[in-house]
Amino acid sequence: MEILRCDNIKKVFGKGGNQVTALNGISLSVEKGEFVAIVGASGSGKSTLLHILGSVDKPTCGTVTIDGVDLGGLNATDAAIFRRRKVGLVYQFYNLIPTLTVEKNILMPMLLDKRKPDAEYFKRIVKTLGIEDKLECLPSQLSGGQQQRTAVARALIYRPAVLLADEPTGNLDRKNGEEIIDLLKLSNHNLKQTILLITHDEKIALQADRVVTIEDGQIVSGHLHGSAEWNACPGGYQDIPVEKRR
């Protein structure tokens, strides 16, 4: 089942002679439960794509659909609500609220909606991420790895349609970085969470089921991990049939 689709996404910054094309005709399809890595050098457009997929920014042209919702039809308020409920975002910097405990940081998306969290699901997340004994701590009392685990838990609490992770290990040492990737894999496997991981590190990307490469704002290749089968086309990724992914 397709959970995310973008068609011919273009993003242009500036005007006239100062125009910069960050994305130039990106097309991508992601199935529910997939773990997809998007790789590319700095400036290739991968973070711009993530911001558009997360409804943080809008494309100059093209369409993005997540869980059946066309993001282009959302105003700023509706986009913020959709992002909170349907898109989990994890960044290189943890963006935790320093005056709130770990528990309240994790629950913040639901508290903003005045919704009661599923207690059993909450326990399952914090246990999976190994922070069940840190719930009353403030972010300043945590290590970098523990803060990123908290950020991942916050992204998962609403059971989002898609979790978008932008260089989530970039601010961590090697050991903590490997643990975060292992935890993302665990959430993909145990919680059936769909994940798009943005990274410049090919070793990290190979932990995913599928790797898509971006250069100069275009998708130049995509492949399944462990497969010799590649599809490449300028400006768009031609999906390998779903039955070949499983």
Side-chain angles (χ1 to χ4, degrees):
M1 171 183 165
E2 186 179 66
I3 196 73
L4 180 153
R5 183 178 187 87
C6 58
D7 291 299
N8 197 31
I9 294 295
K10 295 184 180 181
K11 182 64 178 180
V12 178
F13 294 100
K15 295 181 179 180
N18 294 321
Q19 278 192 355
V20 175
T21 301
L23 298 175
N24 190 16
I26 296 284
S27 295
L28 178 69
S29 175
V30 177
E31 295 290 316
K32 184 177 177 61
E34 265 199 293
F35 186 176
V36 179
I38 299 177
V39 299
S42 178
S44 61
K46 58 187 187 300
S47 290
T48 300
L49 176 61
L50 180 137
H51 292 154
I52 290 172
L53 296 181
S55 76
V56 175
D57 197 3
K58 288 184 176 289
T60 303
C61 65
T63 60
V64 177
T65 303
I66 295 179
D67 202 19
V69 176
D70 181 354
L71 302 191
L74 302 178
N75 60 32
T77 300
D78 290 340
I81 293 171
F82 180 85
R83 184 164 57 249
R84 187 161 69 233
R85 297 177 180 174
K86 291 291 186 176
V87 180
L89 290 167
V90 180
Y91 293 104
Q92 176 177 344
F93 298 99
Y94 324 120
N95 296 329
L96 301 177
I97 300 174
T99 56
L100 296 183
T101 64
V102 165
E103 180 174 8
K104 288 186 177 179
N105 265 286
I106 294 170
L107 295 176
M108 182 53 63
M110 306 203 81
L111 295 175
L112 289 171
D113 281 344
K114 298 180 180 178
R115 294 192 176 186
K116 187 177 180 179
D118 181 330
E120 289 303 315
Y121 182 65
F122 174 79
K123 289 178 182 177
R124 185 179 178 189
I125 289 175
V126 297
K127 184 176 181 180
T128 297
L129 294 173
I131 52 175
E132 67 267 39
D133 61 340
K134 301 295 181 181
L135 298 181
E136 297 305 315
C137 294
L138 295 174
S140 61
Q141 297 172 306
L142 304 179
S143 68
Q146 290 166 342
Q147 290 186 62
Q148 190 63 293
R149 289 167 187 247
T150 302
V152 171
R154 180 183 57 194
L156 291 172
I157 192 62
Y158 236 122
R159 304 188 190 198
V162 180
L163 187 149
L164 305 176
D166 189 5
E167 301 281 6
T169 65
N171 203 34
L172 301 173
D173 60 32
R174 182 184 61 80
K175 180 178 181 295
N176 278 303
E178 289 175 351
E179 288 179 354
I180 291 298
I181 295 303
D182 286 343
L183 291 169
L184 289 177
K185 289 165 62 178
L186 196 62
S187 69
N188 171 251
H189 183 266
N190 289 356
L191 305 177
K192 311 302 180 187
Q193 179 63 57
T194 306
I195 298 174
L196 266 73
L197 169 69
I198 303 292
T199 182
H200 67 278
D201 190 328
E202 293 185 1
K203 290 182 179 179
I204 290 175
L206 289 175
Q207 302 298 310
D209 301 323
R210 176 157 59 107
V211 181
V212 176
T213 304
I214 292 182
E215 290 181 8
D216 298 324
Q218 294 184 314
I219 293 179
V220 296
S221 65
H223 72 96
L224 298 178
H225 179 50
S227 170
E229 184 166 4
W230 288 70
N231 283 334
C233 60
Y237 175 69
Q238 297 180 342
D239 263 334
I240 297 171
V242 175
E243 60 269 17
K244 288 194 176 183
R245 300 179 192 166
R246 305 303 182 191

